[in-house]
Amino acid sequence: MVMEKRRHIAFAGVSVAMVLLTAACGSSKDNTAGSANVQPAGGSQTVGAGASASAGAVAGAGGGYEAGGDTGAAAGGAAERTGPAKQLAVKEDAKLGKFITDGKGWTLYRFDEDTPKPAKSNCNDDCATKWPAVPADDAAATTGIDSAKLGSVTRSDGTKQLTLAGWPVYRFAGDDKPGDTKGQGVGGTWNALAPDGKPAGKTAATDDSLQLMVNNNAELGKIIVDGDGMTVYRFNKDSAWPMKTGCLGACLDTWKPVKAVDTTKVAGVDAAKVTSFKRPDGTKQAAFDCWLLYTFTGDKKPGDINGQGVKGTWFAVTDKGKKAGQ
């Protein structure tokens, strides 16, 4: 009887240890090939994290775009916030530094859940009511803005939206008057636009250098892409815990490991789930939710998903770390 109790206690201890090891993977930052040991490797701050919603605006479940209370969108003001931008201007204040406005002084914004490579707006329907897209026609750069960075993207309704450095440009219905910046920090995903397309009020390295972000693919939904907009994939023959790679030798001619990323340079994904893995050759590979990330040499341009479903073992990765299309 005593021996039986000891066996139960020992089994319970092993079970608890396995649960703790499994939980550790999701919060770790560095995993060594063939080892169950995990070590921190970098911070876990999400781009835009810590930004508080402004007065009269709250983060909503649909991507942080909900506006609360009175938006101040009187008939005349609403019309001003839906027309062409005309001559852009650069403004500056102590909190945000330099940011851009349209020709009438309305602050212009960008959305972290959009993508610049390729340019794509993920703000539609109710979101687009609260964050009106700036039309692409009749926009002109001014001193301090590189005209070559101005462009356009076709929205889901067929209209053309202005882009800056690839990022779709918006106004905020909650701004009561020209010069207001009430949209800054809403949902941790909306920011006034700096003249170079980065989020105003943030450090210079935060955005052009994004290394992982999310693209809303028409076929697969929200999937992770690298800093160049190329789809990233996971491999069924890899192991998430303990983290191991099943792609070696000739496999690496077709599937290229994504280099370990700086977790402050990701957008649209939980940075706490971004980890790194030391491959057998000593290089470090990025992983998300413990699954190693690869790009596919068969993808020729941003947005391609030619690797999806290859041999029934390769799949694009959703923003939650799951296999896309499953």
Side-chain angles (χ1 to χ4, degrees):
M1 189 68 174
V2 172
M3 290 299 294
E4 184 66 23
K5 287 183 178 179
R6 286 177 178 172
R7 280 196 295 270
H8 279 297
I9 291 170
F11 178 76
V14 171
S15 298
V16 170
M18 288 303 293
V19 169
L20 291 174
L21 282 173
T22 302
C25 179
S27 60
S28 69
K29 294 286 171 257
D30 191 3
N31 297 277
T32 301
S35 170
N37 296 323
V38 292
Q39 299 176 351
S44 59
Q45 179 182 354
T46 305
V47 173
S52 61
S54 58
V58 296
Y65 59 75
E66 291 191 17
D70 181 12
T71 63
E80 289 182 337
R81 284 189 289 270
T82 56
K86 297 188 179 296
Q87 182 75 49
L88 302 179
V90 178
K91 304 294 183 182
E92 186 170 4
D93 69 21
K95 180 181 178 181
L96 297 181
K98 292 182 178 180
F99 62 97
I100 64 172
T101 69
D102 66 14
K104 293 185 177 180
W106 293 97
T107 301
L108 302 181
Y109 298 89
R110 44 160 287 168
F111 185 31
D112 278 353
E113 293 190 13
D114 288 345
T115 58
K117 299 176 183 179
K120 183 174 177 62
S121 169
N122 290 315
C123 179
N124 299 290
D125 303 320
D126 289 345
C127 175
T129 300
K130 298 174 178 68
W131 300 91
V134 176
D137 60 308
D138 200 18
T142 190
T143 302
I145 300 174
D146 184 355
S147 60
K149 290 190 174 184
L150 296 180
S152 67
V153 62
T154 302
R155 295 179 54 79
S156 59
D157 61 5
T159 59
K160 296 282 188 180
Q161 180 175 2
L162 179 67
T163 62
L164 178 63
W167 289 94
V169 179
Y170 305 85
R171 299 181 181 97
F172 179 44
D175 283 344
D176 296 318
K177 63 184 182 300
D180 280 353
T181 58
K182 294 181 178 180
Q184 176 69 13
V186 170
T189 55
W190 289 92
N191 296 279
L193 261 170
D196 56 4
K198 297 175 184 176
K202 295 181 180 290
T203 58
T206 6
D207 214 318
D208 280 322
S209 52
L210 279 178
Q211 295 172 354
L212 284 182
M213 52 191 174
V214 173
N215 186 17
N216 197 357
N217 182 270
E219 181 179 342
L220 299 177
K222 291 185 177 182
I223 59 174
I224 300 176
V225 299
D226 69 9
D228 294 320
M230 303 301 290
T231 302
V232 302
Y233 300 87
R234 48 178 279 186
F235 186 31
N236 281 357
K237 294 184 180 181
D238 285 348
S239 169
W241 187 255
M243 290 176 72
K244 292 182 179 179
T245 178
C247 184
L248 300 163
C251 174
L252 297 174
D253 294 335
T254 303
W255 302 92
K256 302 299 184 181
V258 176
K259 293 180 180 179
V261 303
D262 180 341
T263 56
T264 67
K265 297 179 182 179
V266 302
V269 298
D270 183 352
K273 292 184 178 181
V274 177
T275 57
S276 65
F277 170 77
K278 189 175 181 180
R279 293 186 59 81
D281 63 3
T283 59
K284 287 194 173 183
Q285 180 175 1
F288 183 70
D289 200 24
C290 301
W291 286 98
L292 306 185
L293 303 180
Y294 304 81
T295 54
F296 179 47
T297 57
D299 287 341
K300 302 305 180 185
K301 63 182 186 302
D304 281 354
I305 51 171
N306 298 322
Q308 174 69 7
V310 168
K311 295 184 178 180
T313 57
W314 291 92
F315 296 91
V317 184
T318 73
D319 59 330
K320 305 301 181 186
K322 306 300 182 183
K323 292 187 286 189
Q326 300 294 294

